[in-house]
């Protein structure tokens, strides 16, 4: 069954997702939705110093701005990108004194607080949370509780049902505390917790150095509803007696309640995946500017600065034996390698020594290096990326015609989830497009992973299962990551279904977070109403001489091919060679248009002096009629445009074809690049 055929009339009628928003007056609802999100929330995380926010929120906006520039060629998006990137890089700090500036987070590191959610009772006192000690309090003024509203519930299948409650007694502070027996001396930590007040006296949590009678870090919590709080502090030298305390801010009045849950005292560390997620779009910007040095000369200085920072800080620190983290790269063999967790520190709360790191964590940082290789030709970057990709490729298994893989190689590693797979696929696609490790046949199998397993198969309510094998896995519910498709949508290079599955979900509601904004930017980039692979940069999976999503009509690899020697922008253009006896054409179906609306075709083209010239057609395949045609006679690169009216019947099959004006001139060449369609009145 051809599911593309099923999807097309549903999308054209605006029925997928139960919304007609697909056909907003602008002609591109994805663009409208993205701009609305960006205006409201695009800078929400830019100035954050916690690396987790930069990696899993801000980096998506950086990716999005590059996508918006790519489709619009509006440098305002690059100006916005550099404004964000300058802030992000400016907040990188050499916390460890090893000469490397980086971004750090305490989100993933071991929690030094035992029984931090108060779920376990002390064996001798059911009112007292295990591992905690009372100070000036009793079982009626400091106790664990499962009363409604006294704790932060987990999801429906987590069984989280306890919190801690303190009640003022009017004279002495009612407190709980516990010792922190082991810590990294002189290192930055975070005290984080959730709290709420039931009265007028604020809650307080603090870390205390009993050896020197010093408060290391303290937070007051005054919200009447549950709220998260945190403070950074530095641990003392080795051998001190350090404690974490829960208390009121004052002894009076009497009978005021405060509640605590989910305490953490955790060290700040840098992470390969965090550096990679932030660094990948910055590296892509560097590459973009260097590949378009004349057109983007105004951005060259920033690109140079960004490149220096990525090379000398983000990448170098992970392989310097004298650095804080040491050398974390492992050459497993002549053909395989990977990154591992630093051997000197336990940086993950999981307790699992990650050697190798989970695939996505190595991939993110190596993606930066793979991109920069195209700028600096550093063979070490290329070799590491290829070695890790080969290591991963050798672990892939197949189910039917699809690839399946796990999150990592450690004991108990689960099947990869659809969320982290976005990171995996970004790296995999990057290597494929550079001609390394992953072939077109491989990418067809990854695409089948989406269409045969991850996608639920529904054309009316498409969703993505949690795991790449098409199951819910151990998660409480299925489809938890369904709309997070920024790494999946680019598989539309190999199958348009990847776009339709995403488009159908976003037809119902707009983006609500940065990862969804990034997905929107990919929907904009791969929207068939604009044409896809407009610049012929992407190769067909089976034939690298043919641009993906374009098909040959009467032509061959010798007469219609991607041409790196004739491109107006980017790495490739298209060359068509007349053979003197029949048309030599390239064709792409044009779908999801608004019936009766006016559209504009824009393209760059040039021809040789043979007289064959060039021609562009818009054809109604259903009726067998030519809607519009346009001749190309310019012998130097020129931007051309012409208008046409879409068929009144919005379900008619329409195609755009590229060829010659006169095919009888044997050997005559026509060169094309950047062929796109926009609705009349659209900015792009």
């Amino acid at each position: 069954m051809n599911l593309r055929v099923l999807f097309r009339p549903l999308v054209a009628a605006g029925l997928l997702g139960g919304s007609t928003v697909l056909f907003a007056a602008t002609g591109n609802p994805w663009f409208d939705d993205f701009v609305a999100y960006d205006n409201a929330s695009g800078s929400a995380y830019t100035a954050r110093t916690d690396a987790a926010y930069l990696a899993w929120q801000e980096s998506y906006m950086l990716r999005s701005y590059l996508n918006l520039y790519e489709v619009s060629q509006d440098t305002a998006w690059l100006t916005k990108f550099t404004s964000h990137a300058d802030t992000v890089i400016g907040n990188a700090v050499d916390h460890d004194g090893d000469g490397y500036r980086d971004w750090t987070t305490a989100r993933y590191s071991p929690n030094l607080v035992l029984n931090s959610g108060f779920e376990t009772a002390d064996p001798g006192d059911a009112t007292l949370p295990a591992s905690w000690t009372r100070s000036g309090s009793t079982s009626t003024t400091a106790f664990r509780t499962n009363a409604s509203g006294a704790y932060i519930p987990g999801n429906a299948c987590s069984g989280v049902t306890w919190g801690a409650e303190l009640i003022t007694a009017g004279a002495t502070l009612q407190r709980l505390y516990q010792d922190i027996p082991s810590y990294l001396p002189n290192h930055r930590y975070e005290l984080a917790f959730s709290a709420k007040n039931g009265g007028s006296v604020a809650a307080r949590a603090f870390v205390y150095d009993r050896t020197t009678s010093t408060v290391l870090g303290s937070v007051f919590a005054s919200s009447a509803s549950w709220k998260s709080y945190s403070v950074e502090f530095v641990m003392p030298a080795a051998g001190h007696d350090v404690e974490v305390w829960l208390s009121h801010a004052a002894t009076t009045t009497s009978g005021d309640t405060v509640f605590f849950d989910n305490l953490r005292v955790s060290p700040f560390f840098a992470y390969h995946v965090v550096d990679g997620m932030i660094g990948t779009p910055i590296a892509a910007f560097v590459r973009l500017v260097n590949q378009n040095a004349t057109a983007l000369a105004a951005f060259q200085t920033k690109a140079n600065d960004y490149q220096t920072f990525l090379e000398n800080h983000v990448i170098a620190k992970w392989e310097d034996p004298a650095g804080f983290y040491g050398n974390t790269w492992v050459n497993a063999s002549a053909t395989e390698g990977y990154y591992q967790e630093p051997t000197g520190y336990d940086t993950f709360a999981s307790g699992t020594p990650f050697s190798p790191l989970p695939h996505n964590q190595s991939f993110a940082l190596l993606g930066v290096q793979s991109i920069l290789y195209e700028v600096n030709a550093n063979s070490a970057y290329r070799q590491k990326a290829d070695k890790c990709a080969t290591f991963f490729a050798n672990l892939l298994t197949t189910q039917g015609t699809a690839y399946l893989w796990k999150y990592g190689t450690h004991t108990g590693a689960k099947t990869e989830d659809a969320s982290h797979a976005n990171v995996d696929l970004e790296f995999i696609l990057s290597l494929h497009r550079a001609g390394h490790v992953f072939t077109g046949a491989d990418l067809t199998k990854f695409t089948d992973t989406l269409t045969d397993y991850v996608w639920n198969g529904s054309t009316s309510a498409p969703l993505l299962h949690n795991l790449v094998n098409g199951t819910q896995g151990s998660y409480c519910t299925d489809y938890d990551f369904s709309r997070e498709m920024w790494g999946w949508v680019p598989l539309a290079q190999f199958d348009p279904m990847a776009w339709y599955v995403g488009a159908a979900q976003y037809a119902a509601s707009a983006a609500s977070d940065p990862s969804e904004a990034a997905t929107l930017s990919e929907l904009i980039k791969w929207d068939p109403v604009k044409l896809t692979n407009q610049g012929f940069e992407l190769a067909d999976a089976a034939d690298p001489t043919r641009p993906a999503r374009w098909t040959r009509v009467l032509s061959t690899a010798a007469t219609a091919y991607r041409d790196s020697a004739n491109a107006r922008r980017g790495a490739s253009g298209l060359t068509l060679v007349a053979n003197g006896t029949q048309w030599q054409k390239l064709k792409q179906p044009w779908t999801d248009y608004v019936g009766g609306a006016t559209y504009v075709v824009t393209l760059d083209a040039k021809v040789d002096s043979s007289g064959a010239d060039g021609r562009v057609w818009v054809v109604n395949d259903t009726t067998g009629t030519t809607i519009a045609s346009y001749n190309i006679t310019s012998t130097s690169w020129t931007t051309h445009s012409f208008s046409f009216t879409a068929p009144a019947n919005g379900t008619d099959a329409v195609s755009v074809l590229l060829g010659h004006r006169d095919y009888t001139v044997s050997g005559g060449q026509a060169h094309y690049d950047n062929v796109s369609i926009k609705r009349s009145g659209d900015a792009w």
Side-chain angles (χ1 to χ4, degrees), residues 258-519:
V258 293
F259 303 90
F260 295 90
D261 206 352
N262 302 329
L263 266 81
R264 285 183 59 86
V265 173
S266 305
F268 281 89
F269 289 119
Y271 294 88
H272 298 75
V273 66
V274 166
D275 281 359
M277 287 299 294
I278 303 168
T280 292
I282 297 174
F285 171 85
V286 173
R287 178 178 61 186
L288 174 69
V289 173
N290 279 273
Q291 289 178 342
N292 300 275
T294 300
L296 300 179
F299 296 95
Q300 189 66 61
T301 298
K302 285 191 181 295
N304 294 343
D305 291 343
Y306 295 170
Q307 179 181 344
T308 298
F309 175 74
L310 291 173
E311 292 173 348
N312 295 344
H313 294 270
V314 173
I315 298 169
K317 78 164 182 285
W318 294 110
E319 296 171 31
D320 182 358
F324 178 80
Y325 296 101
N327 180 17
T328 62
W329 174 254
V330 177
N331 275 310
S333 71
T335 58
E336 295 183 332
Y338 48 78
Y339 281 112
Q340 66 179 357
E341 183 179 0
T343 56
Y345 308 102
D346 181 11
T347 60
F348 287 96
S350 67
T352 300
F354 287 131
S355 181
L357 287 171
H359 300 305
N360 75 88
Q361 298 189 26
S362 285
F363 285 178
L365 186 61
L366 290 167
V368 178
Q369 296 174 63
S370 178
I371 293 169
L372 287 181
Y373 170 77
E374 298 182 43
V375 178
N376 63 17
N378 186 329
S379 60
Y381 288 4
R382 177 80 275 157
Q383 290 168 6
K384 291 200 298 291
D386 289 355
K387 280 188 171 186
C388 192
T390 301
F391 173 74
F392 170 77
N394 289 338
L395 295 169
L396 289 168
T397 60
T398 57
Q399 184 170 327
T401 59
Y403 274 143
L404 301 181
W405 67 101
K406 291 189 174 184
Y407 175 72
T409 61
H410 51 280
T411 301
K414 62 180 177 61
T415 298
E416 183 63 291
D417 62 75
S419 175
H420 288 100
N422 287 283
V423 184
D424 301 338
L425 290 167
E426 181 176 56
F427 176 69
I428 291 164
L429 281 161
S430 176
L431 261 68
H432 166 69
R433 290 168 183 169
H436 288 260
V437 183
F438 299 107
T439 65
D442 290 324
L443 269 297
T444 298
K445 291 181 179 180
F446 284 113
T447 305
D448 288 346
T449 302
L450 172 65
T451 57
D452 294 354
Y453 293 98
V454 182
W455 173 40
N456 67 352
S458 172
T459 57
S460 59
L463 296 168
L464 302 190
H465 291 291
N466 288 347
L467 304 184
V468 298
N469 63 2
T471 67
Q472 176 177 322
S474 59
Y475 294 89
C476 187
T477 57
D478 204 359
Y479 313 120
D480 288 351
F481 320 112
S482 187
R483 285 166 57 89
E484 192 176 341
M485 289 190 64
W486 58 273
W488 291 101
V489 171
L491 293 177
Q493 175 179 346
F494 310 97
D495 190 335
M497 284 301 303
W499 184 86
Y500 284 116
V501 170
Q505 295 190 73
Y506 281 79
S509 59
S512 61
D513 62 50
S515 72
E516 292 191 354
T519 303

Side-chain angles (χ1 to χ4, degrees), residues 83-390:
S83 174
H84 281 235
D86 287 349
T87 300
V88 171
I89 293 174
N91 284 333
V93 176
D94 179 13
H95 295 290
D96 309 308
D98 60 359
Y100 298 112
R101 294 167 53 209
D102 56 19
W103 308 282
T104 60
T105 181
R107 183 179 298 187
Y108 314 113
S109 60
N111 183 5
L112 304 190
V113 179
L114 302 178
N115 195 21
S116 59
F118 314 104
E119 295 299 311
T120 304
D122 183 87
D125 181 354
T127 67
L128 179 67
S131 303
W132 291 89
T133 301
R134 292 189 176 101
S135 174
S137 56
T138 68
S139 61
T140 61
T141 60
F143 52 91
R144 59 194 292 266
T145 174
N146 61 356
S148 178
Y151 61 93
I152 297 178
N155 59 41
C157 55
S158 71
V160 174
T161 57
W162 292 90
E165 180 176 354
L166 302 181
I167 303 176
T168 56
T172 59
L173 289 170
Q174 308 299 296
R175 299 185 289 188
L176 292 170
Y177 75 96
Q178 69 172 261
D179 291 325
I180 297 177
S182 178
Y183 57 86
L184 187 60
N186 304 311
H187 192 80
R188 289 169 57 246
Y189 277 73
E190 180 182 61
L191 166 63
F193 62 97
S194 297
K196 74 171 184 176
N197 292 328
S200 61
V201 180
R204 184 191 183 199
F206 59 96
V207 179
Y208 182 65
D209 182 349
R210 183 172 292 278
T211 301
T212 60
S213 301
T214 304
V215 174
L216 303 175
S218 176
V219 184
F220 294 93
S222 57
S223 174
S225 57
W226 282 108
K227 184 178 177 181
S228 296
Y229 299 86
S230 65
V231 65
E232 296 182 20
F233 66 94
V234 177
M235 283 291 189
H240 288 222
D241 183 5
V242 178
E243 301 161 342
V244 58
W245 286 74
L246 305 180
S247 177
H248 290 90
T251 58
T252 58
T253 60
S254 181
D256 264 1
T257 58
V258 293
F259 303 90
F260 295 90
D261 206 352
N262 302 329
L263 266 81
R264 285 183 59 86
V265 173
S266 305
F268 281 89
F269 289 119
Y271 294 88
H272 298 75
V273 66
V274 166
D275 281 359
M277 287 299 294
I278 303 168
T280 292
I282 297 174
F285 171 85
V286 173
R287 178 178 61 186
L288 174 69
V289 173
N290 279 273
Q291 289 178 342
N292 300 275
T294 300
L296 300 179
F299 296 95
Q300 189 66 61
T301 298
K302 285 191 181 295
N304 294 343
D305 291 343
Y306 295 170
Q307 179 181 344
T308 298
F309 175 74
L310 291 173
E311 292 173 348
N312 295 344
H313 294 270
V314 173
I315 298 169
K317 78 164 182 285
W318 294 110
E319 296 171 31
D320 182 358
F324 178 80
Y325 296 101
N327 180 17
T328 62
W329 174 254
V330 177
N331 275 310
S333 71
T335 58
E336 295 183 332
Y338 48 78
Y339 281 112
Q340 66 179 357
E341 183 179 0
T343 56
Y345 308 102
D346 181 11
T347 60
F348 287 96
S350 67
T352 300
F354 287 131
S355 181
L357 287 171
H359 300 305
N360 75 88
Q361 298 189 26
S362 285
F363 285 178
L365 186 61
L366 290 167
V368 178
Q369 296 174 63
S370 178
I371 293 169
L372 287 181
Y373 170 77
E374 298 182 43
V375 178
N376 63 17
N378 186 329
S379 60
Y381 288 4
R382 177 80 275 157
Q383 290 168 6
K384 291 200 298 291
D386 289 355
K387 280 188 171 186
C388 192
T390 301

Side-chain angles (χ1 to χ4, degrees), residues 47-86:
R48 299 294 288 265
T49 57
D50 188 308
Y53 290 105
L54 297 177
W56 304 114
Q57 276 86 25
E58 173 62 21
S59 81
Y60 294 133
M61 300 310 301
L62 294 176
R63 285 168 170 80
S64 299
Y65 298 149
L66 292 182
N67 282 339
L68 268 292
Y69 169 74
E70 182 174 339
V71 297
S72 70
Q73 294 298 297
D74 183 351
T75 56
W77 292 109
L78 297 185
T79 299
K80 177 167 282 196
F81 178 98
T82 57
S83 174
H84 281 235
D86 287 349

Side-chain angles (χ1 to χ4, degrees), residues 8 500 527-532 587-595 597-601 618-619 621 627 644-647 650 652-656 676-679:
R8 185 181 165 195
Y500 284 116
D527 189 347
V529 79
K530 296 288 187 180
L531 293 184
T532 58
K587 172 181 179 179
Q588 183 173 148
W590 181 60
T591 64
D592 307 293
Y593 57 86
V594 178
T598 300
Y599 288 87
V600 179
V601 177
V618 180
V619 174
D621 297 317
I627 298 171
F644 68 93
T645 301
D652 282 3
V654 179
S655 298
V656 175
S676 65
I677 297 179
K678 66 177 181 179
R679 192 170 176 181

